[in-house]
Amino acid sequence: QVQLEESGGGLVQAGGSLRLSCEASGRISNTYTMGWFRQAPGKDREFVAGIRWSSGGTYYGDSVKGRFTISRDNAKNTGYLQMKSLNPEDTAVYFCAAGRSLRVVVGDDYNYWGQGTQVTVSS
């Protein structure tokens, strides 16, 4: 079983940057995918970014393309989400997720979820 813990959230001004981390308790299999999702109050969960652990192939939601970058450090069993040019619409709780044999953009396909970290962008 995989346990995930997010960190790096906080308050940032519009136009600023944050880097989120997602540390896994154990080894991430090469068959796994790690993803980031976010959810704002009153809104549906939204796919943000995903990465195939073995190949490093990346995927992004339309709303963050060109601004966010997902990456991973295999030796540290840690994934990252670098967020730049943040705006108030990015305000949400950000969740890290992992799983295997899944559709990267579909949250219900993931097996493991972190507790979430709050990102607030002030105008």
Side-chain angles (χ1 to χ4, degrees):
Q1 184 168 310
V2 176
Q3 291 180 284
L4 306 174
E5 183 175 359
E6 305 97 332
S7 62
L11 176 65
V12 65
Q13 292 180 290
S17 301
L18 283 174
R19 188 181 74 161
L20 306 183
S21 298
C22 176
E23 184 177 5
S25 62
R27 292 285 185 179
I28 301 296
S29 170
N30 287 337
T31 65
Y32 270 71
T33 297
M34 180 176 286
W36 289 93
F37 294 80
R38 66 187 184 186
Q39 188 162 23
K43 297 183 179 180
D44 293 333
R45 183 177 59 196
E46 178 186 17
F47 170 74
V48 177
I51 186 167
R52 302 292 189 186
W53 208 254
S54 59
S55 68
T58 58
Y59 307 81
Y60 295 96
D62 290 340
S63 63
V64 306
K65 288 179 180 177
R67 299 189 298 123
F68 291 9
T69 302
I70 188 171
S71 62
R72 86 287 198 244
D73 187 329
N74 297 59
K76 296 181 178 180
N77 290 328
T78 300
Y80 304 95
L81 183 69
Q82 178 66 245
M83 306 185 294
K84 299 180 179 179
S85 300
L86 287 162
N87 59 66
E89 294 183 349
D90 295 314
T91 295
V93 177
Y94 284 70
F95 296 91
C96 177
R100 61 178 178 85
S101 300
L102 54 80
R103 296 165 291 181
V104 66
V105 303
V106 180
D108 288 348
D109 282 2
Y110 287 77
N111 304 108
Y112 308 103
W113 291 82
Q115 306 94 328
T117 185
Q118 177 71 47
V119 173
T120 302
V121 184
S122 62
S123 59

